[in-house]
Amino acid sequence: MVAINCDMGESFSIYHCGDDEGLMPYVTVANVACGFHASDPRVMTRTVKLAKRHGVRVGAHPSLPDREGFGRREMKMDREELTAAVVYQIGALSGFLRAEGMDLNHVKVHGSLYGMSSRDPEVAQAIADAADVFGAPLMGMVGTVHEQVWGDRAAGFIAEYYADLDYRDDGSLIITREHQAFDPVRSAERALRAVTEGKATSENGKELTVRADSVCVHSDTPNAVELAEAVHAALKSHLN
């Protein structure tokens, strides 16, 4: 069985990002921004309440402290500092979850921190140290340092596949500062194949081995709602 996850709560103050209201009916898990790349206390409150209303589980979506760059610029932080930053963010969201009688479902780091932790064991371990404080599973990619460091954690490891990003021949993600629109039909077909066959195709046509415990759709993809609806329909019989 599989989940559909989406990065949500990425608005800030009067600035709006993503159609969380439109997306929530088509996802089963929300990764809620914790204030370092996006979100604020009011946005976190609204997003948690919206998820509860739709029966969607909530995980923390912590980032490097890079609001201006939306968490998509790399920064150098030592292990202790990075762990503290992630604990701080998870702790903030945990308060809003507690207020609604909800549990923290998982942790999925955002943007450049996700990419850095997929390559650097020290960064990945710093994130694991933070998640261990809350006994939360970590979401990441197989075949990377994520799996090497997080794969045997007692709290669990959730492998994800991306419905709206392309893959390089080495299995890494092609991450741009701004997401581009994706063909919903093609994305849904690819997501179903990842779930049922454990296979994906790189941008150059190479066959890749993947694992999809959860399929991600980004809320800031231009046609995110249409894409999420198509992925949800394709995976409906496989959803947990």
Side-chain angles (χ1 to χ4, degrees):
M1 305 303 288
V2 66
I4 299 175
N5 78 83
C6 186
D7 304 340
M8 292 181 159
E10 293 186 317
S11 298
F12 175 73
S13 184
I14 64 172
Y15 304 102
H16 183 76
C17 179
D19 184 0
D20 290 356
E21 291 271 0
L23 282 161
M24 202 67 81
Y26 303 114
V27 305
T28 61
V29 175
N31 316 305
V32 177
C34 304
F36 272 29
H37 76 282
S39 201
D40 59 36
R42 292 188 68 187
V43 171
M44 278 189 267
T45 298
R46 288 198 299 265
T47 310
V48 169
K49 288 178 180 290
L50 179 64
K52 182 179 181 179
R53 192 158 69 242
H54 286 272
V56 171
R57 292 164 286 165
V58 172
H61 196 40
S63 168
L64 295 168
D66 176 32
R67 187 173 287 159
E68 290 79 5
F70 202 68
R72 289 179 179 158
R73 300 179 295 188
E74 291 197 2
M75 301 173 66
K76 188 169 180 60
M77 300 172 67
D78 64 36
R79 178 169 167 177
E80 183 178 352
E81 181 183 19
L82 185 52
T83 296
V86 175
V87 168
Y88 183 94
Q89 293 175 82
I90 300 172
L93 180 67
S94 294
F96 295 108
L97 288 169
R98 184 173 180 178
E100 294 301 320
M102 298 174 71
D103 295 323
L104 178 70
N105 186 71
H106 67 283
V107 174
K108 174 188 170 181
V109 295
H110 168 81
S112 285
L113 187 54
Y114 189 97
M116 290 164 63
S117 60
S118 74
R119 303 185 302 270
D120 187 333
E122 188 79 359
V123 174
Q125 190 58 61
I127 293 165
D129 291 343
D132 285 345
V133 172
F134 301 90
L138 277 161
M139 189 178 290
M141 290 176 61
V142 296
T144 72
V145 170
H146 288 165
E147 186 178 27
Q148 295 169 22
V149 176
W150 303 340
D152 294 327
R153 290 180 67 248
F157 172 64
I158 304 165
E160 71 172 338
Y161 168 82
Y162 285 83
D164 55 2
L165 289 177
D166 285 319
Y167 287 73
R168 296 186 181 90
D169 290 350
D170 65 359
S172 63
L173 293 170
I174 300 173
I175 300 176
T176 57
R177 287 290 295 272
E178 294 184 7
H179 292 305
Q180 304 300 314
F182 266 62
D183 177 6
V185 174
R186 180 168 173 262
S187 291
E189 290 172 349
R190 288 167 57 171
L192 182 60
R193 184 172 184 239
V195 169
T196 59
E197 301 178 27
K199 295 292 183 182
T201 305
S202 76
E203 61 172 343
N204 294 319
K206 181 180 178 181
E207 288 287 283
L208 304 172
T209 297
V210 296
R211 195 174 101 213
D213 301 326
S214 189
V215 173
C216 178
V217 176
H218 287 95
S219 62
D220 60 334
T221 297
N223 58 336
V225 174
E226 184 183 7
L227 197 151
E229 184 177 9
V231 170
H232 185 276
L235 298 180
K236 190 170 184 179
S237 63
H238 301 277
L239 293 177
N240 58 22

